[in-house]
PDB file of all heavy atoms in Angstrom:
ATOM      1  N   VAL A 207      13.262 -38.064  18.951  1.00 94.00           N
ATOM      2  CA  VAL A 207      12.956 -38.160  17.526  1.00 94.00           C
ATOM      3  C   VAL A 207      11.460 -38.036  17.271  1.00 94.00           C
ATOM      4  O   VAL A 207      11.024 -37.356  16.335  1.00 94.00           O
ATOM      5  CB  VAL A 207      13.492 -39.490  16.954  1.00 94.00           C
ATOM      6  CG1 VAL A 207      13.037 -39.675  15.502  1.00 94.00           C
ATOM      7  CG2 VAL A 207      15.006 -39.530  17.037  1.00 94.00           C
ATOM      8  N   ARG A 211       9.497 -35.257  14.876  1.00 96.00           N
ATOM      9  CA  ARG A 211       8.590 -35.628  13.788  1.00 96.00           C
ATOM     10  C   ARG A 211       7.214 -34.984  13.967  1.00 96.00           C
ATOM     11  O   ARG A 211       6.618 -34.495  13.005  1.00 96.00           O
ATOM     12  CB  ARG A 211       8.453 -37.150  13.732  1.00 96.00           C
ATOM     13  CG  ARG A 211       9.712 -37.859  13.222  1.00 96.00           C
ATOM     14  CD  ARG A 211       9.580 -39.355  13.341  1.00 96.00           C
ATOM     15  NE  ARG A 211      10.759 -40.044  12.809  1.00 96.00           N
ATOM     16  CZ  ARG A 211      11.019 -41.324  13.006  1.00 96.00           C
ATOM     17  NH1 ARG A 211      10.171 -42.079  13.727  1.00 96.00           N
ATOM     18  NH2 ARG A 211      12.100 -41.866  12.483  1.00 96.00           N
ATOM     19  N   LEU A 220       0.040 -26.782   9.452  1.00 97.00           N
ATOM     20  CA  LEU A 220      -0.304 -25.362   9.486  1.00 97.00           C
ATOM     21  C   LEU A 220      -0.074 -24.698   8.137  1.00 97.00           C
ATOM     22  O   LEU A 220      -0.791 -23.757   7.769  1.00 97.00           O
ATOM     23  CB  LEU A 220       0.535 -24.647  10.563  1.00 97.00           C
ATOM     24  CG  LEU A 220       0.252 -25.027  12.014  1.00 97.00           C
ATOM     25  CD1 LEU A 220       1.234 -24.318  12.939  1.00 97.00           C
ATOM     26  CD2 LEU A 220      -1.186 -24.692  12.411  1.00 97.00           C
ATOM     27  N   GLY A 229      -7.073 -29.903  15.812  1.00 91.00           N
ATOM     28  CA  GLY A 229      -6.339 -31.147  16.016  1.00 91.00           C
ATOM     29  C   GLY A 229      -6.707 -32.257  15.055  1.00 91.00           C
ATOM     30  O   GLY A 229      -5.834 -32.881  14.439  1.00 91.00           O
ATOM     31  N   GLN A 231      -8.305 -32.208  12.088  1.00 95.00           N
ATOM     32  CA  GLN A 231      -8.045 -31.957  10.666  1.00 95.00           C
ATOM     33  C   GLN A 231      -6.554 -31.905  10.367  1.00 95.00           C
ATOM     34  O   GLN A 231      -6.119 -32.370   9.307  1.00 95.00           O
ATOM     35  CB  GLN A 231      -8.736 -30.661  10.233  1.00 95.00           C
ATOM     36  CG  GLN A 231     -10.255 -30.775  10.268  1.00 95.00           C
ATOM     37  CD  GLN A 231     -10.937 -29.670   9.480  1.00 95.00           C
ATOM     38  OE1 GLN A 231     -10.430 -29.213   8.470  1.00 95.00           O
ATOM     39  NE2 GLN A 231     -12.101 -29.242   9.955  1.00 95.00           N
ATOM     40  N   ASP A 254      10.854 -26.115  25.108  1.00 97.00           N
ATOM     41  CA  ASP A 254      10.696 -24.718  25.508  1.00 97.00           C
ATOM     42  C   ASP A 254      10.406 -23.856  24.281  1.00 97.00           C
ATOM     43  O   ASP A 254      11.278 -23.699  23.413  1.00 97.00           O
ATOM     44  CB  ASP A 254      11.977 -24.233  26.203  1.00 97.00           C
ATOM     45  CG  ASP A 254      11.818 -22.851  26.819  1.00 97.00           C
ATOM     46  OD1 ASP A 254      10.874 -22.135  26.439  1.00 97.00           O
ATOM     47  OD2 ASP A 254      12.656 -22.481  27.661  1.00 97.00           O
ATOM     48  N   TYR A 265      16.615 -16.914  12.250  1.00 97.00           N
ATOM     49  CA  TYR A 265      16.217 -17.219  10.875  1.00 97.00           C
ATOM     50  C   TYR A 265      15.713 -15.953  10.170  1.00 97.00           C
ATOM     51  O   TYR A 265      16.092 -15.668   9.019  1.00 97.00           O
ATOM     52  CB  TYR A 265      15.123 -18.284  10.913  1.00 97.00           C
ATOM     53  CG  TYR A 265      14.541 -18.688   9.583  1.00 97.00           C
ATOM     54  CD1 TYR A 265      15.206 -19.579   8.750  1.00 97.00           C
ATOM     55  CD2 TYR A 265      13.298 -18.210   9.171  1.00 97.00           C
ATOM     56  CE1 TYR A 265      14.649 -19.980   7.539  1.00 97.00           C
ATOM     57  CE2 TYR A 265      12.743 -18.594   7.962  1.00 97.00           C
ATOM     58  CZ  TYR A 265      13.421 -19.481   7.157  1.00 97.00           C
ATOM     59  OH  TYR A 265      12.861 -19.862   5.959  1.00 97.00           O
ATOM     60  N   ALA A 314       5.188  -8.593  18.420  1.00 98.00           N
ATOM     61  CA  ALA A 314       6.169  -7.786  17.700  1.00 98.00           C
ATOM     62  C   ALA A 314       6.336  -8.383  16.313  1.00 98.00           C
ATOM     63  O   ALA A 314       6.435  -9.607  16.162  1.00 98.00           O
ATOM     64  CB  ALA A 314       7.508  -7.765  18.430  1.00 98.00           C
ATOM     65  N   SER A 319      12.748  -3.992   3.822  1.00 95.00           N
ATOM     66  CA  SER A 319      12.434  -3.953   2.396  1.00 95.00           C
ATOM     67  C   SER A 319      12.308  -5.358   1.815  1.00 95.00           C
ATOM     68  O   SER A 319      11.763  -5.532   0.723  1.00 95.00           O
ATOM     69  CB  SER A 319      13.528  -3.186   1.642  1.00 95.00           C
ATOM     70  OG  SER A 319      14.791  -3.824   1.812  1.00 95.00           O
ATOM     71  N   GLN A 385       1.521   6.829  23.580  1.00 97.00           N
ATOM     72  CA  GLN A 385       1.214   7.820  24.606  1.00 97.00           C
ATOM     73  C   GLN A 385       1.902   7.543  25.937  1.00 97.00           C
ATOM     74  O   GLN A 385       1.891   8.387  26.836  1.00 97.00           O
ATOM     75  CB  GLN A 385      -0.289   7.890  24.829  1.00 97.00           C
ATOM     76  CG  GLN A 385      -0.880   6.630  25.442  1.00 97.00           C
ATOM     77  CD  GLN A 385      -2.378   6.687  25.570  1.00 97.00           C
ATOM     78  OE1 GLN A 385      -2.961   7.757  25.651  1.00 97.00           O
ATOM     79  NE2 GLN A 385      -3.026   5.522  25.560  1.00 97.00           N
ATOM     80  N   THR A 396      17.803   3.286  24.675  1.00 95.00           N
ATOM     81  CA  THR A 396      18.484   2.230  23.924  1.00 95.00           C
ATOM     82  C   THR A 396      19.043   2.730  22.592  1.00 95.00           C
ATOM     83  O   THR A 396      19.704   1.970  21.883  1.00 95.00           O
ATOM     84  CB  THR A 396      17.526   1.056  23.648  1.00 95.00           C
ATOM     85  OG1 THR A 396      16.392   1.529  22.903  1.00 95.00           O
ATOM     86  CG2 THR A 396      17.051   0.428  24.946  1.00 95.00           C
ATOM     87  N   SER A 407      -5.026  14.504  22.207  1.00 96.00           N
ATOM     88  CA  SER A 407      -4.877  15.217  23.471  1.00 96.00           C
ATOM     89  C   SER A 407      -3.463  15.127  24.037  1.00 96.00           C
ATOM     90  O   SER A 407      -3.191  15.667  25.121  1.00 96.00           O
ATOM     91  CB  SER A 407      -5.856  14.658  24.502  1.00 96.00           C
ATOM     92  OG  SER A 407      -5.616  13.258  24.703  1.00 96.00           O
ATOM     93  N   LEU A 413      11.357  23.101  25.415  1.00 69.00           N
ATOM     94  CA  LEU A 413      11.838  24.377  25.920  1.00 69.00           C
ATOM     95  C   LEU A 413      11.013  25.538  25.375  1.00 69.00           C
ATOM     96  O   LEU A 413      11.004  26.634  25.947  1.00 69.00           O
ATOM     97  CB  LEU A 413      13.315  24.558  25.546  1.00 69.00           C
ATOM     98  CG  LEU A 413      14.295  23.567  26.190  1.00 69.00           C
ATOM     99  CD1 LEU A 413      15.707  23.836  25.696  1.00 69.00           C
ATOM    100  CD2 LEU A 413      14.231  23.644  27.699  1.00 69.00           C
ATOM    101  N   ALA A 414      10.329  25.283  24.247  1.00 70.00           N
ATOM    102  CA  ALA A 414       9.536  26.344  23.637  1.00 70.00           C
ATOM    103  C   ALA A 414       8.154  26.463  24.263  1.00 70.00           C
ATOM    104  O   ALA A 414       7.431  27.419  23.979  1.00 70.00           O
ATOM    105  CB  ALA A 414       9.403  26.097  22.129  1.00 70.00           C
ATOM    106  N   CYS A 511       0.531  -8.998   8.770  1.00 97.00           N
ATOM    107  CA  CYS A 511       1.046 -10.237   9.371  1.00 97.00           C
ATOM    108  C   CYS A 511      -0.047 -10.973  10.133  1.00 97.00           C
ATOM    109  O   CYS A 511      -0.173 -12.202  10.025  1.00 97.00           O
ATOM    110  CB  CYS A 511       2.212  -9.926  10.300  1.00 97.00           C
ATOM    111  SG  CYS A 511       3.745  -9.451   9.476  1.00 97.00           S
ATOM    112  N   TRP A 532      -0.736 -22.454  24.734  1.00 98.00           N
ATOM    113  CA  TRP A 532      -0.914 -21.258  23.908  1.00 98.00           C
ATOM    114  C   TRP A 532       0.425 -20.821  23.320  1.00 98.00           C
ATOM    115  O   TRP A 532       0.536 -20.567  22.114  1.00 98.00           O
ATOM    116  CB  TRP A 532      -1.510 -20.124  24.743  1.00 98.00           C
ATOM    117  CG  TRP A 532      -1.822 -18.900  23.930  1.00 98.00           C
ATOM    118  CD1 TRP A 532      -3.001 -18.625  23.278  1.00 98.00           C
ATOM    119  CD2 TRP A 532      -0.951 -17.798  23.667  1.00 98.00           C
ATOM    120  NE1 TRP A 532      -2.901 -17.411  22.629  1.00 98.00           N
ATOM    121  CE2 TRP A 532      -1.656 -16.877  22.850  1.00 98.00           C
ATOM    122  CE3 TRP A 532       0.361 -17.488  24.033  1.00 98.00           C
ATOM    123  CZ2 TRP A 532      -1.099 -15.682  22.398  1.00 98.00           C
ATOM    124  CZ3 TRP A 532       0.932 -16.299  23.582  1.00 98.00           C
ATOM    125  CH2 TRP A 532       0.201 -15.418  22.780  1.00 98.00           C
ATOM    126  N   ALA A 556      14.831 -13.856  -6.697  1.00 81.00           N
ATOM    127  CA  ALA A 556      15.015 -14.596  -7.958  1.00 81.00           C
ATOM    128  C   ALA A 556      14.392 -13.838  -9.123  1.00 81.00           C
ATOM    129  O   ALA A 556      14.947 -13.789 -10.225  1.00 81.00           O
ATOM    130  CB  ALA A 556      14.403 -15.985  -7.829  1.00 81.00           C
TER     131      ALA A 556
END
Side-chain angles (χ1 to χ4, degrees):
V207 173
R211 289 173 178 167
L220 293 176
Q231 293 196 34
D254 188 342
Y265 177 80
S319 60
Q385 67 184 335
T396 59
S407 59
L413 295 178
C511 288
W532 185 89

